[in-house]
């Protein structure tokens, strides 16, 4: 089974050569894809209330976001980051619990789906309002600096749609002013819900904005796992080493609806033939087969392992109790100060 | 023919675009073949080319743009994807649009549509009711239609009004409510409506909670109580006269709202009735709101968080015994 716990900066630097890293990343991607396929089938069967938002087509970018972070770092994933969240250390069962509303999940049924986090482990809990988590990541990094911690970075994810919010701009500017060790990974999947790039921004290249903020900027083919590991890995390394904040802009296509309620009929066939529309997971798998990095039996074993992990997470969460009305209706931690509204 | 609350909102916008060339619609995903997250503008981009425009995810700038356009002769309708995201545009709505007429004597005729309120599974950021916040600030009209007919006529009225209007449409009512046809005219904004007549107790409500209140009244009728139900229709202006007249008939008041309990519309109604109609009351007026926590995701928690016909009826029974 895949493990994050033992991973430290040491194993990243020494033991894992490029092939091992690639294969580990591939397995997280496979796990995320398998898990999200299961979520979709549960949703279609009416077993998940609310929305299901998946990261199909973005697993390569996402896994690279989670993979180079270590204990003590800050990760602010967004809606399409199942792969990265797992690679960073979020237990799959907690994801299942959040989607199924289990009382034992980290969100205790109070919040659902992608609106989850493990703040004490450095994984910030996103709110829906896009752009809001950039400055929160900046603040977390400032706190670490105030406390004298060393060798930490923060990585905050965003879509090209979210990049157009005021919060995002303010957060970017602040990060540069404060010179915190931050990496922003922006994924241009060419749509914000139904809106395509022409109605989102008018600059030639989103990455050109890096200069305007005082960031260093890099473009990335988000369908190419090796490139993702290389570009995002290097950006994390540079930020950790004290370079200015880093902006990576990855290009992909969202290979699903905005959420599972959306048939994405507005995505044209022409767009689906673009190079950025390639499936990163298929591409990675092809490379593994072509270079014979592992044999077919091993690959199949990994698939089985992913399916088993997903099954176990879902079955566990399904057995757990739902929240009930004996809920503790307190929105603040200080019980003595709770206002007793009528 | 039957028409839903959501279709009424779409039809009102189609009519406005047809009849008034100053009208345009601005918001995320409203255009193209998509027609909005809830399809409230479905087909309008095609029917009215260049007048139903997709925007970037930039609520603050969307409303700012609408204000600028309104000052120069247009009648923009802004669709927020969810009421919850209008918090990003609070500055433009409250400080720019809301103060403008008072500062300059030039009104700002914008309409901001807020898909509001809870539906199960939507959680803390896609369920909010923001009418109390907007009503708190000067300079805005806040509409909260509870019927298909009002959804239609009030939206048309919103755009004709020269002042900024925050139009709170309830997502739960989108598909649940149906009417046979759309009216040519409605009661003007600022007038509440007696939705059900009674003499034992007045329930004041608005938006989706009106229907919970009516269901509670139905339950209580089978127990022999005659409940009067008032639909505020707009929370600002608030029709205090109609409420007072009802309380004069019943002597008892219960206010029901879906927003958070601190302050807000229900507190305002009670405050006005106690200060202007204290002598009319036979028992202390009561109110029921959502709980003072964010809106929960899980359906079990969500159902307990918002007022329901059951919890309203329970509160009413207690009040009737006093
Ligand atoms: C401030 C704000 N406005 C509106 C929304 C509603 N909304 C949720 S996701 C989304 C599209 C996001 O597009 P993008 O940032 O490109 O991310 P993607 O979904 O493509 O991964 C919108 C408009 C929101 N979450 N936040
Ligand atoms: Mg996008």
């Amino acid at each position: 089974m895949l493990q994050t716990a033992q991973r430290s900066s040491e194993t990243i630097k020494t033991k894992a050569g490029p092939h091992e890293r690639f294969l580990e990343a591939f397995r997280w991607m496979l796990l995320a894809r398998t898990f999200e396929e299961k979520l979709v089938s549960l949703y279609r069967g009416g077993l998940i209330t609310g929305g299901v938002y998946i990261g199909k087509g973005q697993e390569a970018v996402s896994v690279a976001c989670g993979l180079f972070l270590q204990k003590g770092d800050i990760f602010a994933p967004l809606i399409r980051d199942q792969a990265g969240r797992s690679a960073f250390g979020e237990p799959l069962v907690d994801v299942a619990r959040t989607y199924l509303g289990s009382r034992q999940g980290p969100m205790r049924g109070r919040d659902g789906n992608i609106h989850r986090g493990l703040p004490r482990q450095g994984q910030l809990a996103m709110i829906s309002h896009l752009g809001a988590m950039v400055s929160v990541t900046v603040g977390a990094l400032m706190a670490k600096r105030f406390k004298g911690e060393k060798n930490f970075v923060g990585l905050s994810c965003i879509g090209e749609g979210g990049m157009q919010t005021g919060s995002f701009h303010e957060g970017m500017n602040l990060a540069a002013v404060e010179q915190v060790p931050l990496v922003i990974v922006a994924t241009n999947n060419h749509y914000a819900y139904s809106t395509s790039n022409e109605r989102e921004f008018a600059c030639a290249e989103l990455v050109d904005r890096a200069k305007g903020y005082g960031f260093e900027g890099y473009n990335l083919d988000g369908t190419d796992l090796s490139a993702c590991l290389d570009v995002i890995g290097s950006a994390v390394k540079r930020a950790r080493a004290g370079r200015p904040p880093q902006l990576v802009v990855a290009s992909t296509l969202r290979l699903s609806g905005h959420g599972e309620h959306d048939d994405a009929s507005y995505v044209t066939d022409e767009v689906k033939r673009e190079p950025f529309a390639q499936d990163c997971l298929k591409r990675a798998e092809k490379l593994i087969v072509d270079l014979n990095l592992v044999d077919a039996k091993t690959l199949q074993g990994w698939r089985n392992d992913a399916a088993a992990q997903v099954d176990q997470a879902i079955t566990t969460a399904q057995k757990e109790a739902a929240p009930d009305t004996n809920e503790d209706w307190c929105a603040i931690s200080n019980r003595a100060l709770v206002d007793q509204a009528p | 023919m039957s028409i839903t609350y959501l279709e009424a909102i779409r039809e009102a916008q189609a009519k406005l675009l047809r009849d008034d060339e100053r009208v345009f619609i601005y918001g995320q995903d409203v255009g193209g073949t998509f027609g909005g997250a809830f399809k409230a503008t479905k087909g309008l981009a095609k029917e009215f080319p260049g007048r139903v425009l997709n925007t970037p995810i930039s609520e603050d700038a969307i409303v700012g743009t609408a204000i600028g356009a309104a000052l120069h002769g247009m009648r923009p309708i802004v669709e927020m994807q969810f009421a919850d995201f209008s918090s990003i545009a609070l500055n433009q709505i409250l400080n720019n649009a809301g103060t403008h007429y008072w500062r300059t004597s030039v009104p700002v005729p914008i309409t901001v549509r807020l898909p509001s309120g809870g539906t199960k599974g939507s959680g803390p950021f896609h369920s909010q009711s923001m009418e109390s916040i907007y009503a708190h600030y000067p300079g805005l009209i806040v509409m909260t239609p509870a019927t298909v007919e009002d959804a239609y006529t009030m939206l048309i009225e919103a755009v004709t009004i020269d002042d900024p209007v925050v139009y709170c449409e309830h997502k739960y009512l989108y598909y649940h409510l149906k009417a046979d046809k759309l009216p040519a005219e409605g009661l003007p904004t600022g007038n509440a409506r007696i939705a059900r007549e009674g003499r034992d107790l007045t329930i004041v409500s608005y938006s989706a909670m009106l229907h919970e209140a009516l269901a509670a009244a139905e339950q209580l009728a089978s127990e022999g109580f005659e409940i009067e139900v008032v639909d505020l229709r707009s929370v600002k202006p608030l029709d205090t006269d109609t409420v007072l007249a009802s309380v004069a008939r019943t002597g008892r008041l219960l206010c029901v709202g879906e927003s958070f309990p601190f302050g807000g519309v229900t507190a305002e109604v009670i405050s006005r009735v106690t200060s202007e109609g204290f002598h009319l009351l036979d028992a202390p007026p009561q109110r029921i709101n959502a709980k003072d926590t964010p809106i929960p995701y899980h359906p079990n928690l969500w159902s307990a968080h918002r007022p329901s016909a059951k919890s309203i009826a329970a509160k009413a029974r207690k009040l009737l015994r006093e």
Side-chain angles (χ1 to χ4, degrees):
Chain A
M1 185 174 139
L2 276 175
Q3 288 285 352
T4 50
Q6 305 99 317
R7 203 177 65 240
S8 67
S9 56
E10 276 321 290
T11 57
I12 286 176
K13 268 189 244 132
T14 55
K15 283 193 212 134
H19 285 174
E20 285 79 1
R21 175 73 43 69
F22 186 92
L23 293 174
E24 186 194 349
F26 172 78
R27 292 188 66 187
W28 289 120
M29 291 166 66
L30 186 64
L31 183 65
R33 181 74 62 95
T34 311
F35 185 72
E36 292 193 329
E37 276 167 2
K38 178 74 182 176
L39 287 179
V40 169
S41 82
L42 290 171
Y43 175 82
R44 302 235 162 105
L47 294 171
I48 292 177
T49 317
V52 168
Y53 305 85
I54 65 171
K56 187 173 181 185
Q58 299 183 201
E59 293 96 337
V61 178
S62 181
V63 74
C65 292
L67 210 53
F68 296 97
L69 301 181
Q70 57 203 46
K71 205 164 174 290
D73 288 339
I74 302 292
F75 185 33
L78 234 50
I79 52 181
R80 315 219 182 266
D81 283 314
Q82 183 55 50
R85 290 179 192 247
S86 290
F88 185 62
E90 179 187 60
L92 208 53
V93 67
D94 280 344
V95 192
R97 285 168 166 154
T98 307
Y99 270 97
L100 295 166
S102 156
R103 197 155 54 181
Q104 277 159 260
M107 311 310 279
R108 295 168 290 168
R110 294 175 177 189
D111 210 341
N113 51 63
I114 52 190
H115 301 96
R116 60 179 198 269
L118 297 163
R120 288 194 207 282
Q121 280 93 61
Q123 191 186 133
L124 298 178
M126 61 171 280
I127 63 168
S128 293
H129 298 58
L130 293 166
M133 302 314 288
V134 176
S135 53
V136 177
T137 313
V138 173
L141 297 173
M142 285 176 70
K144 287 179 171 292
R145 190 161 64 195
F146 279 127
K147 291 187 291 184
E149 291 180 31
K150 295 273 183 291
N151 197 35
F152 56 86
V153 290
L155 190 151
S156 205
C157 296
I158 193 88
E160 89 294 343
M163 278 182 90
Q164 317 314 325
T165 62
S167 312
F168 180 79
H169 291 291
E170 292 177 22
M172 292 292 279
N173 185 54
L174 232 129
V177 168
E178 298 294 353
Q179 283 297 303
V180 285
L182 175 69
V183 180
I184 297 283
V185 176
T187 302
N188 180 6
N189 61 8
H190 293 83
Y191 286 88
Y193 209 154
S194 78
T195 302
S196 53
N197 281 180
E198 311 81 74
R199 292 295 297 172
E200 297 190 86
F201 55 88
C203 54
E205 289 279 350
L206 285 170
V207 76
D208 292 344
R209 292 185 184 173
K211 190 159 189 282
Y213 292 123
F215 273 53
E216 294 178 350
Y218 302 87
N219 261 329
L220 170 61
D221 173 359
T223 71
D224 178 347
L225 176 58
S226 300
C228 290
L229 295 172
D230 180 31
V231 173
I232 294 172
S234 310
V236 169
K237 206 180 277 171
R238 279 191 296 269
R240 214 186 281 285
R243 299 281 309 158
Q246 308 280 310
L247 172 68
V248 175
V249 181
S251 181
T252 65
L253 183 66
R254 195 188 68 208
L255 299 181
S256 64
H258 172 60
E260 284 311 298
H261 58 277
D262 172 26
D263 67 8
S265 53
Y266 45 82
V267 179
T268 60
D269 289 338
E270 198 189 332
V271 170
K272 289 179 191 158
R273 285 191 293 269
E274 291 280 355
F276 59 72
Q278 294 175 84
D279 181 341
C280 58
L281 187 69
K282 282 201 189 129
R283 258 191 95 171
E285 183 170 334
K286 184 163 183 307
L287 199 79
I288 292 171
V289 172
D290 288 352
L291 297 183
N292 202 16
L293 295 182
V294 295
D295 59 20
K297 199 168 150 232
T298 309
L299 256 179
Q300 189 52 45
W302 289 353
R303 272 197 210 95
N304 297 345
D305 176 60
Q309 283 196 62
V310 168
D311 250 18
Q312 205 203 344
I314 300 281
T315 328
T316 306
Q318 274 176 332
K319 277 194 238 131
E320 293 171 357
D324 61 33
T325 43
N326 294 325
E327 173 74 13
D328 180 21
W329 296 103
C330 288
I332 58 173
S333 62
N334 195 323
R335 300 302 140 129
L337 296 181
V338 171
D339 181 47
Q340 299 298 338
Chain B
M1 192 189 102
S2 125
I3 182 155
T4 64
Y5 183 93
L6 177 63
E7 285 160 352
I9 290 168
R10 187 200 166 277
E11 288 309 313
Q13 293 178 104
K15 181 177 163 50
L16 286 159
L17 285 162
R18 208 175 299 125
D19 295 352
D20 188 344
E21 61 188 18
R22 301 171 302 170
V23 173
F24 71 99
I25 300 179
Y26 212 45
Q28 291 150 20
D29 301 294
V30 295
T33 52
F34 194 62
F38 298 100
K39 310 290 175 218
T41 55
K42 182 93 187 154
L44 297 183
K46 189 157 176 232
E47 199 177 336
F48 304 98
R51 297 172 67 196
V52 184
L53 301 174
N54 280 349
T55 63
I57 306 173
S58 306
E59 285 80 4
D60 180 274
I62 292 167
V63 175
T65 305
I67 292 170
L71 287 174
H72 288 270
M74 302 301 284
R75 295 270 154 162
I77 301 174
V78 167
E79 176 180 300
M80 290 288 160
Q81 198 150 80
F82 285 81
D84 316 47
F85 299 122
S86 75
S87 58
I88 308 287
L90 278 177
N91 186 44
Q92 292 288 3
I93 300 173
L94 305 177
N95 291 324
N96 225 341
T99 66
H100 200 272
Y101 174 72
W102 192 79
R103 290 164 49 238
T104 67
S105 308
V106 179
V108 180
I110 61 168
T111 300
V112 183
R113 288 182 35 235
L114 306 185
S116 305
T119 46
K120 90 181 160 172
S122 297
F125 310 114
H126 293 79
S127 306
Q128 294 170 26
S129 300
M130 312 248 320
E131 66 280 355
S132 293
I133 288 185
Y134 289 109
H136 179 73
Y137 271 76
L140 306 170
I141 289 163
V142 185
M143 298 182 178
T144 49
T147 65
V148 176
E149 292 83 354
D150 275 352
Y152 181 72
T153 60
M154 290 178 84
L155 183 50
I156 293 171
E157 197 187 353
V159 174
T160 38
I161 287 172
D162 285 341
D163 293 299
V165 177
V166 176
Y167 176 94
C168 306
E169 53 195 61
H170 203 292
K171 303 196 295 289
Y172 188 78
L173 303 180
Y174 275 166
Y175 319 99
H176 279 79
L177 276 193
K178 290 195 177 82
D180 291 335
K181 60 176 178 17
L182 294 172
E185 264 175 68
L187 205 54
T189 290
N191 290 278
R193 174 180 73 97
I194 306 294
R196 180 187 175 112
E197 289 185 2
R199 56 188 165 79
D200 297 327
L201 172 135
T202 298
I203 301 182
V204 172
S205 191
Y206 57 96
S207 193
M209 282 297 136
L210 176 78
H211 302 280
E212 298 293 331
L214 287 169
E218 195 61 35
Q219 271 180 37
L220 292 162
S222 65
E223 297 164 29
F225 297 111
E226 291 180 28
I227 309 296
E228 182 144 301
V229 180
V230 177
D231 173 9
L232 289 177
R233 302 180 63 248
S234 64
V235 301
K236 199 176 190 182
L238 184 69
D239 182 358
T240 316
D241 289 347
T242 298
V243 175
L244 279 170
S246 176
V247 175
R249 286 189 286 277
T250 64
R252 285 177 162 77
L253 173 65
L254 172 60
C255 298
V256 184
E258 188 178 327
S259 57
F260 300 124
F262 192 92
V265 176
T266 55
E268 182 67 26
V269 171
I270 289 185
S271 153
R272 291 186 189 194
V273 170
T274 38
S275 56
E276 289 170 45
F278 192 69
H279 57 287
L280 306 172
L281 290 162
D282 297 331
Q286 300 294 321
R287 65 195 188 106
I288 172 165
N289 281 89
K291 293 187 191 298
D292 192 27
T293 72
I295 301 153
Y297 159 74
H298 196 283
N300 291 353
L301 296 179
W302 178 70
S303 312
H305 185 267
R306 73 200 277 270
S308 62
K310 200 171 152 209
S311 65
I312 296 166
K315 194 99 169 177
R317 269 184 215 107
K318 213 169 142 222
L319 180 53
L320 283 159
R321 279 197 300 269
E322 285 194 20

